[in-house]
Amino acid sequence: MEPRNYRMVVSTKRDFAKASSTAERQLHHWLGVIKRYNISALSKGRNTIAEGVTLDHDAGSGQHGAYSRWRLREWKKRSGKPDPGTWQATLVVRSGDQEEDEHRTWIQVDVEHFPASPDLRPTRADVPHITRLLLNALPAQDGLADVGSFPKFIEPDDVEEVVEELCDLDRRLPIIVASVPRGHEPEVWTEKVVEPAFKHLTGLAVLYVLRPDAQQRFHRTFDYHPVFGGGIRTYLPGVDPAWQPDAQRHPVMSRATLEADPDRAAVILAALPRRLALRLPLPDSLDNLPVQSTRPRPASHLSHLDELRTENTTLTTMIAEAEQRENANADMLRDLREQLQIAEELEFDQAAENQELYAKLKRAERQVRALRTRLEKAGRYDLAHASVDEPVGRPSKFAEILTRMDEFPHLRFTGRPKRTLELDAQCAGNWVDVAWDALCALNEYAAASATGTAGGDFRYWCSHLPDGCEHRFHASKVKMKESETVGNREDWRRERTYPVPETVHPSGELFMQAHLRIGGGNTIAPRLYFYDDGPNTGLVYVGYIGRHPRNTLS
């Protein structure tokens, strides 16, 4: 499910008293000046600061430290418009454990939306203004890195320090680095392109812009994880610059994607950091806070009957809030269960594929040793130890794959080339090789499907490859159907509906469920979607090659 809530968790070296007073001043500025609510008489408990707007405040101290917490709830129904539900924003200032947190103070901001009906989806929360106010007023950190509301430039002398931040084992937030294309002024490029792309990332990531004169020094360390040409790379926690396969974990957004649709690019760029922020366990200091349950302060000079009425209203409100939280927790639990099921299926497929590949590798090694021994006994040492030529004729980019689609007489590519070309700027590992192998195998299958000799669908074909076939593709990478969750979501179905000739379907498009896993390990995770029309037109239509369409994990 697409992440809808917002969460920022950072720390500051200021002590609790100073951090708490600073946060409270910024909160009052946000509520009183920006939102124009009445905050003239705030105290602990529940404060009604406008019609349909309450501010709960509680504080305490104990063996785990001190805390202050404010919770803003807004419900404003306008005549003639649907019920907007309830927006809830929570600010927590918490003193850290003196031993584990090195006298740090933790700051947490959450924004959630509770729909008016459990059948409705929550509205995606934007970055709240209070976040920017706090980051501008408090020196905030995540591990070794400073967290600010605007990106900072990486100068040549800063590279070593940034590398330490990237490799910091205590880092929780992603570090997102934007590059500047050759021939562009960094300041101009940052203002026009980078800042709009980063607009949803405040408080969710550490933001940098890599100056061109620092690029070479940066890439000497991150040779496998580069970013250049106006692209933006998201470096997740746990980066290993010396391990090439690790590069797949850290997605790249190309300049072409940024410029084609800036608003969409900004949403995509923020999706992974937002998801990580919501799913990462809270620091112990924040995780052991008591549940907030405030009630309105009792009014004086009320009759006994009025007191009972007030108490009844209070209890009714608290029950409604509890129901909202229960519905939100149920949605989260349902989402986590779906993700767990997908992850378990993927883990099984990958384990099976790894086991088969390992067995093939060992057989190949034994065969090589046996053949080399025979050649040595025959006196052909030159052949036994000769170098092996690299295979020729294979494409090195997705752009080349598109230009060579006519080499597959039984396939027709009907998708948008632009989506496929975007993969070249974000490509990791062996994606091009896997895609080419998939098309070669699919072409052989399509020929058999057209003559009715395939014996089953493409997954069956891959599991029971007939003799004489040249191209293999692992069956675990083949999915012939989408999940019920995807099939029942109209927007996700539409995203998987691709063009076909009217001879295949009168509407000129089809919801394609069959797809191949081209890559994984990051948010791009490219997929190839196809439709087998062998019995009808004698062709297989490839409707899409590109980044993973949205699902419960994106």
Side-chain angles (χ1 to χ4, degrees):
M1 181 180 294
E2 180 185 355
R4 317 299 287 178
N5 297 343
Y6 172 91
R7 168 172 290 174
M8 177 186 77
V9 176
V10 295
S11 64
T12 178
K13 293 181 179 179
R14 289 189 181 176
D15 61 39
F16 172 76
K18 292 180 180 178
S20 182
S21 62
T22 300
E24 187 168 11
R25 284 196 302 271
Q26 300 308 315
L27 178 71
H28 286 188
H29 179 79
W30 181 45
L31 297 176
V33 177
I34 298 176
K35 286 182 169 286
R36 303 188 178 213
Y37 291 147
N38 179 16
I39 58 170
S40 57
L42 294 182
S43 60
K44 290 184 179 179
R46 173 155 296 180
N47 302 268
T48 299
I49 57 178
E51 183 179 357
V53 182
T54 59
L55 179 69
D56 297 337
H57 175 45
D58 67 323
S61 61
Q63 67 180 78
H64 296 294
Y67 75 92
S68 289
R69 175 168 49 190
W70 298 266
R71 182 179 66 185
L72 177 70
R73 292 176 59 86
E74 299 172 288
W75 177 79
K76 299 179 182 178
K77 186 173 182 180
R78 299 178 182 177
S79 59
K81 293 190 176 182
D83 190 333
T86 302
W87 281 99
Q88 177 173 295
T90 306
L91 166 62
V92 178
V93 182
R94 173 67 151 163
S95 61
D97 185 281
Q98 292 187 358
E99 294 181 1
E100 296 182 2
D101 294 335
E102 299 179 353
H103 303 276
R104 290 180 177 272
T105 301
W106 290 95
I107 311 292
Q108 178 180 347
V109 175
D110 283 274
V111 180
E112 306 164 86
H113 178 247
F114 303 109
S117 168
D119 298 330
L120 299 176
R121 296 186 67 205
T123 302
R124 184 173 62 86
D126 293 328
V127 177
H129 203 95
I130 183 63
T131 296
R132 296 186 175 90
L133 292 174
L134 290 169
L135 292 179
N136 291 335
L138 287 168
Q141 291 88 32
D142 173 59
L144 299 175
D146 294 331
V147 183
S149 56
F150 294 97
K152 296 191 301 182
F153 285 106
I154 301 177
E155 309 286 351
D157 292 341
D158 299 328
V159 169
E160 185 175 346
E161 182 179 345
V162 173
V163 168
E164 290 184 8
E165 294 173 3
L166 285 161
C167 299
D168 179 16
L169 297 179
D170 295 327
R171 176 162 67 93
R172 293 170 52 90
L173 300 183
I175 293 179
I176 301 182
V177 180
S179 62
V180 180
R182 183 175 299 177
H184 286 72
E185 288 294 329
E187 288 77 10
V188 176
W189 180 258
T190 299
E191 181 180 355
K192 290 186 175 181
V193 178
V194 177
E195 289 182 0
F198 284 176
K199 63 183 178 181
H200 300 309
L201 287 166
T202 305
L204 299 175
V206 178
L207 308 175
Y208 282 117
V209 178
L210 181 62
R211 284 190 178 273
D213 54 356
Q215 191 175 105
Q216 185 176 1
R217 183 177 295 184
F218 183 83
H219 288 163
R220 277 203 296 267
T221 301
F222 286 90
D223 184 39
Y224 297 134
H225 306 63
V227 56
F228 51 84
I232 297 177
R233 187 155 207 157
T234 301
Y235 294 91
L236 299 180
V239 61
D240 186 348
W243 190 33
Q244 185 174 3
D246 180 63
Q248 294 194 39
R249 295 180 52 245
H250 313 283
V252 178
M253 177 171 286
S254 68
R255 175 184 176 182
T257 301
L258 288 168
E259 295 182 325
D261 190 341
D263 291 335
R264 180 175 180 273
V267 172
I268 293 173
L269 197 61
L272 179 57
R274 183 183 288 252
R275 188 182 308 116
L276 290 175
L278 294 171
R279 295 177 183 172
L280 192 66
L282 289 170
D284 291 341
S285 297
L286 291 170
D287 200 33
N288 59 28
L289 283 175
V291 176
Q292 187 174 30
S293 180
T294 57
R295 303 176 64 171
R297 298 184 305 279
S300 57
H301 310 299
L302 288 180
S303 66
H304 181 63
L305 179 60
D306 288 336
E307 287 182 359
L308 290 176
R309 287 171 176 166
T310 300
E311 184 71 10
N312 182 65
T313 301
T314 299
L315 293 175
T316 302
T317 301
M318 294 178 69
I319 290 173
E321 291 177 7
E323 288 177 348
Q324 286 181 337
R325 175 55 60 192
E326 184 178 359
N327 290 333
N329 289 338
D331 289 341
M332 183 183 301
L333 183 60
R334 188 181 306 111
D335 179 34
L336 291 174
R337 283 173 174 165
E338 290 175 353
Q339 294 167 36
L340 178 61
Q341 180 181 357
I342 293 174
E344 287 177 343
E345 291 174 356
L346 183 60
E347 181 184 16
F348 176 80
D349 290 344
Q350 290 179 332
E353 180 181 353
N354 289 342
Q355 184 176 359
E356 183 174 335
L357 290 174
Y358 182 75
K360 288 181 179 179
L361 174 63
K362 302 309 289 184
R363 286 197 299 269
E365 288 178 345
R366 288 194 298 270
Q367 187 175 15
V368 168
R369 285 196 299 269
L371 292 174
R372 183 169 288 170
T373 299
R374 292 176 189 176
L375 288 170
E376 288 175 349
K377 288 181 178 180
R380 298 302 307 271
Y381 291 93
D382 56 333
L383 293 179
H385 300 280
S387 60
V388 179
D389 294 334
E390 291 295 324
V392 295
R394 297 180 66 87
S396 58
K397 292 185 177 182
F398 282 95
E400 190 177 348
I401 288 181
L402 293 181
T403 63
R404 296 176 59 180
M405 284 299 298
D406 57 357
E407 296 181 22
F408 306 112
H410 304 287
L411 304 182
R412 292 293 183 272
F413 179 68
T414 63
R416 297 176 60 185
K418 177 182 175 182
R419 295 291 181 226
T420 306
L421 294 173
E422 288 176 352
L423 294 176
D424 280 331
Q426 308 167 85
C427 193
N430 60 345
W431 291 355
V432 175
D433 286 333
V434 174
W436 185 253
D437 290 340
L439 291 169
C440 291
L442 198 58
N443 184 65
E444 280 193 326
Y445 163 78
S449 177
T451 60
T453 59
D457 59 22
F458 185 57
R459 183 179 175 88
Y460 178 88
W461 172 273
C462 294
S463 299
H464 306 82
L465 197 68
D467 294 336
C469 288
E470 298 181 14
H471 304 287
R472 294 179 175 271
F473 193 75
H474 203 280
S476 68
K477 293 181 178 291
V478 183
K479 298 293 183 183
M480 297 307 298
K481 286 188 177 181
E482 285 285 13
S483 67
E484 290 186 11
T485 305
V486 171
N488 293 333
R489 281 280 300 273
E490 183 180 351
D491 53 342
W492 290 353
R493 283 180 62 94
R494 187 166 55 251
E495 195 169 341
R496 291 160 175 80
T497 298
Y498 305 117
V500 293
E502 292 184 3
T503 53
V504 178
H505 195 277
S507 67
E509 58 183 18
L510 271 177
F511 170 48
M512 296 188 184
Q513 300 195 63
H515 60 278
L516 312 180
R517 180 161 51 89
I518 304 302
N522 64 20
T523 57
I524 308 301
R527 297 294 187 263
L528 182 156
Y529 279 78
F530 67 93
Y531 176 72
D532 178 14
D533 197 48
N536 180 24
T537 60
L539 296 170
V540 167
Y541 295 90
V542 178
Y544 180 83
I545 304 175
R547 65 178 295 137
H548 198 311
R550 289 179 297 168
N551 64 2
T552 56
L553 296 180
S554 59

